[in-house]
Amino acid sequence: MRYTHGTERLCGIALPLAGIRTEGGWRTGEYPDLAELGALCGKAGIGMIQLLPVNDTGDQPSPYFALSAFALHPLYLRAKDLPEAGSAPEALRALDEFSAAGRPGERFPYAEALRIKDAALRSIYQRNADDPGLLAELEAFARERSWVRPYAVYKRLKETNERRSWLDWHEHQDPSAQDIVRLWEEPRFRNEHLFHVWTQLRCYGQFSKAAGALRTMGIELMGDLPILMNEDSADVWSRRSSFRMELRAGSPPDGESPLGQNWGFPIYDWAAMAADGYRFWKSRIEEADRFYSAYRIDHVLGFFRIWALPEREESAALGRFEPGASLPREKLQGLGFSDERIRWLSEPHVSGGELYAVAARCGIPDEEARRAVDLTLDRIGNEDLFLFKDSIRGEKDLAGLRLAGALESWLKERWRDRALVKSGDGYAPAWSCRSSRAWASLSEGERASLEHALAELSRENGDSWIRQGKGILSMLASASEMLPCAEDLGAIPDGVPQALASLGMLGLRLPRWTRRWNEHGQPYISLRDYPELSVCTPSVHDTTTLRDWWRLERGREAFAMAYCPVVAGIGEDLDCDAQYELLRSLAGSSSRICMLQAQDLLDLEEGWRSEDPAWDRVNIPGTTGEFNWTWRMKPSVGELEGNARWLERVRGIAQARSRR
């Protein structure tokens, strides 16, 4: 859909679809609820709704662990609106009974909601599975979209294999296109395959209708396109050649994550994707264009370069940026490093005496220490010095040996202790190369020559990252008339902001992190200095809410003086009045869009505030459990619409968009 507001300054609301609560609605938000939310937005002066991804994630509540880049989540289907619903009244009753047990302000039970909804949908479908008209409709839908048949086959196989990842299936792990066609056409599985086609047909129908209603109201709808694909997905299973399965994406070490983060997603094979004209990504844009007029690209930096680590690693410490040039062995030899010195830099050397000392210090018997040596290490000549065996390819291999905990941890530390990591036919610097034992052993001259070579390598990589990112994003931006927005948080390589701006892509600005980090005192950047091509937002789904951040942040006084002096000195409690003043000030930024989390807007009314603001987070990164991704609005959309004071305040914030 074409973005219709041009350069007009808009105020938007961001929330997960499951979080919408309407009178008479279900235990989670559903596709038709968007129309009711849109009517509220029209009265409140809000011109855009931003959603988290709505793809099918199966048992995973995280919207970023999709089973398909294309299939929509059946959890959000409104069963009573289905044309076949009247045939299964008992299924509708079961849904109503489950929903009636919900309470305003609850974290909804994802697994139970999915089980109840799936059972109801299956019951409804089975009552209509032999309808000739429906069968013709399903066949047509599957023909029109190339992803539907692989998705349906994958879903059926996943259920046959007790919902395990395809990596753990006993067969059909690496299917050809012909294999998938053959599986699709097997008569005994026809009904199960068509059930999954039916859920997608109805999801597309309800979501399209809701998106059309928003368009009629003049409300823009922004979707979310995660850059990476879940390894356990129909896309990776059926499009193996588009991914580099030997590498996983993550983020490099930093203060909060000293070993980095391993996200577990395979990285793309961009060369293979370019060879087929980026068909996968163009198809994703085409599908998104059916519903959205704007889209957010999650982790846009991944199009420029991604932190990639070997598949056998648990942590991200031994990753490297891809694409990335490396130092050929000949280059290192030319700098005076012999093959033995290159091995010293790139392969960790382990002292047997140190290993036995660790065992003794931790009360581990000598026989267990000998077992650890025998399983993991090969002696170098007659020295008390060892290299890891060829069978040890990463931390997962060490973990699989079930060694004593202290020895396993120590051996993993030694495994990560290297200055260079192997990269194709060459060598790249380890993230912590300068703190490695090998680096400390270098002479001053060796360090100087290696530093010079690494600096040249960094410049070469920087240029290649910009070329790759700009080329791919240019293709995406030209593939539709949607407004592209980029999540560009983190350490930004030089040239990325200019590349995004040249393509008309809006970057992201979180005021709490938008500072001049290299200047004395790290001052906040003035709201007036935010680029017009940006989205300003006080919080996102992975952060605390504004109110909770204010409660926890020691530097809130500096924040207040930079952005809204009237709230300086009020203490830890950001009350409703202060919340309003702060949101109104932030809405006055020069950014084209001010996007506000629904939780931040609900905190404008005392009766809708959670007693503990930490309860209102959507997700706590690095954690798992029933809390994440299960947030719901406490008031219904109707209650919001009926509260004149709240509406007036939201309109006041939206109107602040006209101030400069």
Side-chain angles (χ1 to χ4, degrees), residues 350-360 369-370 372-373 376-377 407 410-411:
V350 179
S351 162
E354 280 188 293
L355 185 149
Y356 280 99
V358 170
R370 282 194 294 273
V373 171
T376 64
L377 303 174
L407 289 181
W410 186 82
L411 284 166

Side-chain angles (χ1 to χ4, degrees), residues 362-633:
C362 297
I364 299 171
D366 281 354
E367 56 265 27
E368 178 62 20
R370 282 194 294 273
R371 175 174 173 268
V373 171
D374 292 343
L375 290 175
T376 64
L377 303 174
D378 284 331
R379 185 185 293 273
I380 301 175
N382 295 317
E383 300 180 69
D384 182 32
L385 201 60
F386 298 79
L387 293 174
F388 282 95
K389 291 179 178 293
D390 291 341
S391 59
I392 304 299
R393 296 173 295 137
E395 295 157 314
K396 291 181 181 179
D397 295 315
L398 291 170
L401 297 175
R402 301 187 182 281
L403 305 173
L407 289 181
E408 179 184 317
S409 296
W410 186 82
L411 284 166
K412 287 179 179 178
E413 288 179 12
R414 297 283 71 78
W415 173 260
R416 296 188 291 263
D417 183 19
R418 60 188 80 193
L420 301 176
V421 295
K422 197 79 171 68
S423 177
D425 294 329
Y427 299 87
W431 185 264
S432 56
C433 67
R434 293 168 184 82
S435 60
S436 66
R437 291 185 176 188
W439 185 274
S441 72
L442 297 178
S443 69
E444 186 174 335
E446 287 176 323
R447 289 183 196 171
S449 62
L450 194 52
E451 286 280 19
H452 181 73
L454 294 179
E456 288 184 342
L457 198 65
S458 179
R459 287 190 293 271
E460 181 181 349
N461 283 334
D463 292 340
S464 70
W465 294 340
I466 298 303
R467 285 195 301 272
Q468 171 174 291
K470 195 169 182 180
I472 298 171
L473 291 175
S474 176
M475 173 273 299
L476 294 182
S478 62
S480 78
E481 294 186 275
M482 293 185 289
L483 175 69
C485 303
E487 187 274 287
D488 56 348
L489 302 177
I492 310 297
D494 292 340
V496 169
Q498 295 86 345
L500 295 177
S502 70
L503 297 170
M505 288 190 166
L506 279 62
L508 186 63
R509 299 293 182 273
L510 265 74
R512 65 179 82 171
W513 296 333
T514 306
R515 309 174 74 157
R516 302 190 190 280
W517 294 103
N518 296 323
E519 294 185 11
H520 177 70
Q522 298 177 333
Y524 288 99
I525 295 175
S526 168
L527 295 170
R528 294 179 180 177
D529 292 336
Y530 284 19
E532 190 272 337
L533 284 174
S534 68
V535 176
C536 172
T537 184
S539 63
V540 296
H541 61 269
D542 278 338
T543 71
T544 52
T545 63
L546 181 61
R547 177 182 163 217
D548 199 27
W549 177 83
W550 184 271
R551 177 176 66 98
L552 299 171
E553 180 57 47
R554 292 181 179 178
R556 58 178 172 268
E557 292 303 309
F559 182 88
M561 292 307 298
Y563 295 134
C564 187
V566 71
V567 303
I570 68 168
E572 294 181 5
D573 182 19
L574 194 65
D575 61 30
C576 296
D577 292 339
Q579 179 97 0
Y580 170 65
E581 294 296 339
L582 191 48
L583 288 179
R584 194 168 62 144
S585 292
L586 297 177
S589 76
S590 297
S591 300
R592 186 182 300 178
I593 296 171
C594 176
M595 187 60 66
L596 303 174
Q597 295 289 303
Q599 298 93 315
D600 290 337
L601 289 174
L602 293 177
D603 277 340
L604 293 170
E605 180 63 34
E606 189 65 42
W608 298 335
R609 291 183 150 206
S610 296
E611 183 176 343
D612 181 357
W615 182 256
D616 291 327
R617 286 193 70 151
V618 173
N619 179 51
I620 304 175
T623 67
T624 57
E626 296 181 356
F627 179 89
N628 288 342
W629 313 108
T630 58
W631 175 85
R632 287 204 80 198
M633 296 165 53

